[in-house]
Amino acid sequence: MPIVKYPRRVDPLWHEWDRKAQKCGLRHTVYAVNGDRYIGEWLDNVKHGKGTQIWKKSGAIYSGDWKFGKRDGFGTYSIPDPVTKDYKKVYSGWWKNDKMWGYGVKFYSEGEYFEGEWAWGKRHGWGRMYYKDGAIYEGQWSEDKPGGQGMFRCKNENRYEGSWKDGKKHGPGKFIYLDTGQVYDGYWVADIPKCGTMIDFGRDEAPMPTQYPIPKVELADPDGVLEEAVLILQNAELFTSQPQKERG
């Protein structure tokens, strides 16, 4: 009985090449057209999992978590020093959708860094900023600037505690002058004290007290007078912030 032989079906070679080109799981160094390179895990041809990206143009390195081609999770971003060529850490912390998001530490210049919360790549939430001159701000941040409640401590230990807006002292707050032994307690607008009271505080222990002590307030109701002044100031500020057509 005759036997019919059918030719064996062979897939085109490009099918095999395409299958091998699909990146999934742990891979060795993969180079981009511009010279950037990535070593780590892939999923469906995109970076996903643990991996290290090196940018050729800047020499910067990111090492950490990836999700669907973007930095997402915990990771560290570093750049080479232009002089020594040694790598220095710029940011170490959490990422989301390729932006700093969550708790992290960012280093700016020598002795200046921020530790706290981030959102959309900006300082947002609670955080502490160390400045190169020795000053420290600790408190709430909004859109990369102090906003909300916070404390700013100067290099000489004088400090402000109170409200902030757009990076400036704004609203009720207290400035403590430890060098002269005085306290200003009142209302601020864009870093300028508008109304409040100044009293002696720890004058005997102050290193540089003023020549004459501040006399006591003799008003019958100093708190009431201050409260009324603050209310007038707040109403005036609200009025000036309204558009011209709303004022009538």
Side-chain angles (χ1 to χ4, degrees):
M1 183 176 180
I3 299 174
V4 180
K5 292 185 177 180
Y6 296 97
R8 185 176 180 182
R9 182 178 178 181
V10 179
D11 292 332
L13 284 177
W14 69 267
H15 282 193
E16 179 67 14
W17 295 339
D18 186 65
R19 184 185 65 79
K20 290 181 178 180
Q22 296 298 312
K23 295 179 283 293
C24 191
L26 182 63
R27 297 290 295 268
H28 293 294
T29 305
V30 175
Y31 289 86
V33 177
N34 61 2
D36 296 347
R37 59 188 189 272
Y38 172 80
I39 308 168
E41 296 177 305
W42 298 77
L43 178 66
D44 296 334
N45 227 29
V46 294
K47 303 161 193 169
H48 190 89
K50 300 287 185 182
T52 299
Q53 170 85 18
I54 303 173
W55 287 270
K56 181 180 180 180
K57 185 176 181 180
S58 63
I61 292 179
Y62 169 81
S63 183
D65 296 324
W66 296 79
K67 187 175 182 180
F68 302 121
K70 295 183 179 181
R71 291 169 288 186
D72 201 301
F74 188 86
T76 300
Y77 179 78
S78 304
I79 60 174
D81 187 277
V83 179
T84 64
K85 304 303 180 183
D86 294 331
Y87 276 91
K88 57 181 182 180
K89 192 180 298 181
V90 175
Y91 175 80
S92 181
W94 292 91
W95 301 73
K96 180 180 178 182
N97 199 27
D98 223 28
K99 296 183 182 295
M100 297 175 288
W101 203 303
Y103 183 85
V105 180
K106 183 174 181 179
F107 301 88
Y108 293 88
S109 57
E110 190 67 30
E112 189 168 83
Y113 65 97
F114 171 84
E115 57 179 7
E117 297 174 340
W118 298 78
W120 304 282
K122 299 178 180 180
R123 292 167 289 188
H124 195 86
W126 178 91
R128 184 187 294 118
M129 182 72 193
Y130 295 86
Y131 298 92
K132 63 174 62 178
D133 64 355
I136 299 174
Y137 171 82
E138 180 176 357
Q140 295 173 308
W141 293 74
S142 178
E143 291 293 321
D144 219 36
K145 297 178 181 179
Q149 295 295 310
M151 185 272 291
F152 182 82
R153 191 182 73 190
C154 305
K155 182 180 180 180
N156 62 359
E157 298 295 329
N158 289 349
R159 62 198 65 193
Y160 169 82
E161 301 174 1
S163 300
W164 296 77
K165 182 181 179 182
D166 296 330
K168 297 180 179 180
K169 298 181 281 290
H170 194 96
K174 181 185 298 183
F175 201 104
I176 304 172
Y177 298 88
L178 294 179
D179 55 346
T180 60
Q182 295 173 328
V183 173
Y184 172 83
D185 190 354
Y187 195 86
W188 303 69
V189 175
D191 261 352
I192 300 174
K194 290 293 184 177
C195 61
T197 57
M198 178 77 83
I199 62 172
D200 284 331
F201 179 79
R203 178 182 173 83
D204 296 336
E205 294 80 22
M208 295 182 296
T210 55
Q211 184 177 1
Y212 302 104
I214 298 175
K216 294 183 178 180
V217 178
E218 300 295 341
L219 290 174
D221 185 16
D223 293 336
V225 173
L226 180 59
E227 184 177 348
E228 182 180 357
V230 169
L231 184 60
I232 294 174
L233 184 61
Q234 289 174 333
N235 291 335
E237 183 184 354
L238 180 63
F239 178 78
T240 56
S241 65
Q242 291 177 342
Q244 184 68 32
K245 61 181 181 180
E246 292 185 12
R247 302 180 196 172

XYZ file of all heavy atoms in Angstrom, residues 39 50-53 55 61-66 71 74-78 91 93 95:
184
model
N 20.279 46.703 32.599
C 20.538 45.332 33.041
C 19.490 44.983 34.090
O 19.379 45.675 35.107
C 21.942 45.190 33.671
C 23.016 45.741 32.731
C 22.240 43.738 34.025
C 24.369 45.902 33.382
N 13.366 44.229 39.074
C 14.611 44.838 39.542
C 15.531 45.099 38.350
O 15.681 44.243 37.476
C 15.330 43.923 40.535
C 14.532 43.589 41.776
C 14.431 44.769 42.716
C 13.733 44.373 44.020
N 13.584 45.517 44.940
N 16.145 46.288 38.338
C 17.049 46.568 37.235
C 17.846 47.836 37.433
O 17.542 48.657 38.297
N 18.879 47.986 36.588
C 19.756 49.153 36.633
C 19.821 49.791 35.253
O 20.128 49.118 34.266
C 21.175 48.754 37.078
O 21.112 48.193 38.393
C 22.088 49.973 37.100
N 19.532 51.086 35.205
C 19.579 51.851 33.966
C 20.757 52.815 34.028
O 20.969 53.498 35.025
C 18.285 52.640 33.775
C 18.302 53.650 32.663
C 17.975 53.063 31.308
O 17.413 51.980 31.221
N 18.331 53.768 30.258
N 22.407 55.985 31.830
C 22.237 56.923 30.724
C 23.608 57.345 30.214
O 24.449 57.858 30.971
C 21.449 58.137 31.183
C 19.994 57.847 31.392
C 18.987 57.955 30.471
C 19.364 57.409 32.607
N 17.773 57.615 31.031
C 17.976 57.268 32.338
C 19.833 57.100 33.881
C 17.064 56.856 33.301
C 18.931 56.679 34.843
C 17.561 56.563 34.549
N 22.905 56.974 36.895
C 22.515 55.576 37.129
C 21.290 55.528 38.032
O 21.226 56.224 39.052
C 23.653 54.783 37.797
C 24.838 54.600 36.833
C 23.160 53.415 38.245
C 25.996 53.836 37.450
N 20.324 54.728 37.640
C 19.202 54.404 38.527
C 19.227 52.902 38.765
O 19.278 52.103 37.816
C 17.861 54.794 37.917
C 16.681 54.236 38.701
C 16.232 54.866 39.863
C 16.050 53.058 38.316
C 15.185 54.345 40.602
C 14.985 52.531 39.047
C 14.559 53.174 40.188
O 13.519 52.660 40.924
N 19.153 52.525 40.023
C 19.129 51.109 40.389
C 17.995 50.878 41.371
O 17.951 51.487 42.444
C 20.464 50.700 41.028
O 20.472 49.315 41.334
N 17.054 50.015 40.966
C 15.919 49.761 41.843
C 14.777 49.084 41.123
O 14.982 48.286 40.193
N 13.570 49.435 41.539
C 12.358 48.792 41.022
C 11.825 49.492 39.781
O 11.887 50.716 39.660
C 11.272 48.785 42.107
C 11.668 47.958 43.318
O 12.331 46.918 43.126
O 11.324 48.350 44.448
N 11.247 48.680 38.886
C 10.610 49.166 37.667
C 9.219 48.546 37.545
O 8.977 47.451 38.031
C 11.428 48.799 36.427
C 12.777 49.428 36.376
C 13.897 49.019 37.066
C 13.175 50.563 35.608
N 14.954 49.841 36.772
C 14.550 50.792 35.874
C 12.511 51.405 34.716
C 15.258 51.822 35.282
C 13.224 52.431 34.118
C 14.576 52.645 34.399
N 10.216 53.905 36.452
C 10.700 53.721 37.825
C 9.509 53.742 38.776
O 8.758 54.710 38.804
C 11.699 54.829 38.171
C 13.019 54.739 37.423
C 13.874 55.966 37.584
N 13.316 57.100 36.843
C 13.924 58.268 36.710
N 15.100 58.464 37.276
N 13.371 59.248 36.026
N 11.042 51.154 45.116
C 12.197 51.752 45.799
C 13.404 51.745 44.870
O 13.682 50.751 44.200
C 12.539 50.982 47.080
C 13.582 51.659 47.922
C 13.226 52.624 48.848
C 14.930 51.348 47.764
C 14.184 53.265 49.622
C 15.896 51.977 48.535
C 15.523 52.943 49.455
N 14.121 52.877 44.846
C 15.306 52.940 44.000
C 16.200 54.105 44.345
O 15.801 55.041 45.052
N 17.413 54.076 43.794
C 18.415 55.107 44.041
C 18.913 55.678 42.720
O 19.229 54.930 41.794
C 19.604 54.532 44.829
O 19.136 54.025 46.086
C 20.657 55.590 45.076
N 18.965 57.014 42.671
C 19.437 57.710 41.473
C 20.730 58.440 41.818
O 20.792 59.190 42.794
C 18.376 58.710 41.002
C 18.754 59.519 39.788
C 18.691 58.975 38.512
C 19.179 60.842 39.918
C 19.034 59.722 37.392
C 19.530 61.601 38.808
C 19.454 61.029 37.555
O 19.795 61.778 36.448
N 21.779 58.211 41.014
C 23.087 58.801 41.285
C 23.661 59.397 40.004
O 23.331 58.961 38.896
C 24.057 57.747 41.833
O 23.526 57.112 42.987
N 19.207 60.919 44.931
C 17.933 60.606 45.593
C 17.881 59.122 45.901
O 18.263 58.279 45.067
C 16.756 60.986 44.702
C 15.402 60.577 45.276
C 14.782 61.349 46.250
C 14.764 59.424 44.851
C 13.567 60.977 46.789
C 13.534 59.043 45.376
C 12.940 59.819 46.341
O 11.730 59.444 46.871
N 14.937 56.567 47.630
C 13.616 56.460 48.236
C 12.613 55.843 47.287
O 12.967 55.069 46.388
N 9.471 55.713 44.439
C 9.101 56.286 43.146
C 7.712 55.805 42.752
O 7.252 54.749 43.206
C 10.085 55.866 42.054
C 11.496 56.256 42.297
C 12.362 55.701 43.211
C 12.250 57.267 41.616
N 13.589 56.307 43.137
C 13.550 57.270 42.167
C 11.954 58.159 40.597
C 14.548 58.128 41.733
C 12.941 59.017 40.152
C 14.212 59.008 40.715
